[in-house]
Amino acid sequence: MRTVFLALALLLGCAPSIPSSSQHARAVAPAAPPDQAPDASGWGVAGGLKYREIVRGGADPKQPLPLLVVFHGMEGSPNIAYLDKLDVEQGVQVRIVRPQAPIPVGKHGFSWYDGRLNDERSEEEKAAGMAETLARVVRMLDVLREQRPTRGQTVVTGFSQGGMLSYALAVRHPERVGFSMPVSGYLPQPLWPDHPSSQPPRVHALHGLIDTIVPEAKAETLVAYMRSHGWPVEFTTFPNIDHRISPEMTALAHQALSQAIAEVAP
């Protein structure tokens, strides 16, 4: 746990306050595989994280393309069906990268950090775990842009834990993101931005109003705080939707992500 809190301290630029004990055993990610460009099936490795590459719109994968990174939620994987809902409109030429989280969970799933969004851990513990993962994701983005010919700024989206990462990348690394669409996510308070960015990315968050895994009120509080600190955030809620991606969310995501790609990578 000491390593986790040191990771958060380094990210936030402050001295760590490390609790003397914890109720939770920490899951450990396996050793990172070496980086490699995608093979014929679309699987590659960047920054030690596996990913699946999908090219849309009949584009040539060897040509510079806009980059859309889609993060799955806890116990998910790059192949899970709901990720198809976080996609683009037909005909949009884009390189979509679906990274695989580093921590195995269950038989076939993976987690971005140790712990569930609605467990009893403190905000500090959740932020520390997310900070450690965020550092790995930032390395992945940097390697991806070196590996794959890319045009314009990166667009990111994700569901649940993936929504947390989408928020975190926008507020902690705004220089690396052109547009962020968190879905059913939030951000532990220690990771909230403490000052405006000189060039903040546009953020459009989606959330179900009856979500009990990540209550909508948590995301709404974060969004209000970000707006008060100069961040351009749009927040769309969906009545009678719990912790899932509804058809209405899917339609809006396809439209918004396609528009964002056109804006950040013309």
Side-chain angles (χ1 to χ4, degrees):
M1 184 61 71
R2 179 177 295 269
T3 302
V4 176
F5 275 83
L6 285 171
L8 175 60
L10 290 172
L11 181 69
L12 301 181
C14 61
S17 175
I18 303 174
S20 57
S21 63
S22 174
Q23 302 177 32
H24 306 280
R26 181 181 172 219
V28 178
D35 294 339
Q36 64 180 46
D39 59 19
S41 63
W43 283 94
V45 182
L49 292 176
K50 295 181 180 179
Y51 67 87
R52 182 185 176 200
E53 178 181 288
I54 302 168
V55 176
R56 297 290 192 223
D60 180 352
K62 297 180 181 179
Q63 297 301 312
L65 294 171
L67 177 62
L68 169 60
V69 180
V70 183
F71 298 102
H72 65 75
M74 185 174 184
E75 298 185 11
S77 77
N79 290 325
I80 200 161
Y82 70 69
L83 293 184
D84 293 333
K85 300 177 181 180
L86 301 178
D87 212 308
V88 295
E89 295 175 330
Q90 188 173 3
V92 175
Q93 293 196 335
V94 61
R95 188 187 317 279
I96 299 178
V97 166
R98 298 177 176 181
Q100 179 175 290
I103 302 173
V105 178
K107 292 184 178 180
H108 305 291
F110 299 87
S111 175
W112 289 105
Y113 81 107
D114 181 26
R116 294 181 178 274
L117 297 182
N118 61 343
D119 67 20
E120 68 273 23
R121 298 178 190 215
S122 69
E123 289 287 280
E124 288 74 18
E125 286 179 298
K126 291 178 181 178
M130 181 54 64
E132 189 173 36
T133 292
L134 185 59
R136 297 186 68 171
V137 169
V138 168
R139 289 196 297 272
M140 178 203 73
L141 291 180
D142 290 345
V143 173
L144 268 176
R145 295 182 68 90
E146 293 175 1
Q147 278 187 355
R148 315 303 290 148
T150 302
R151 188 175 82 243
Q153 294 176 293
T154 302
V155 174
V156 299
T157 186
F159 173 73
S160 194
Q161 276 193 359
M164 290 179 70
L165 272 174
S166 302
Y167 274 124
L169 282 166
V171 303
R172 305 310 308 186
H173 297 278
E175 73 286 352
R176 286 179 166 85
V177 177
F179 177 81
S180 173
M181 175 167 276
V183 181
S184 303
Y186 90 113
L187 199 58
Q189 191 165 356
L191 294 177
W192 291 10
D194 51 11
H195 59 275
S197 168
S198 59
Q199 292 184 312
R202 191 162 62 88
V203 178
H204 188 169
L206 312 183
H207 217 107
L209 282 175
I210 59 171
D211 190 336
T212 58
I213 304 299
V214 182
E216 180 270 342
K218 279 191 170 185
E220 187 176 7
T221 301
L222 166 63
V223 167
Y225 176 90
M226 291 176 66
R227 287 171 173 168
S228 71
H229 285 68
W231 292 77
V233 185
E234 188 173 354
F235 189 54
T236 302
T237 57
F238 297 81
N240 304 316
I241 300 300
D242 52 15
H243 197 65
R244 60 189 172 93
I245 305 174
S246 69
E248 295 81 7
M249 284 179 167
T250 299
L252 179 54
H254 284 209
Q255 180 183 25
L257 291 170
S258 299
Q259 180 180 344
I261 287 165
E263 291 174 352
V264 304

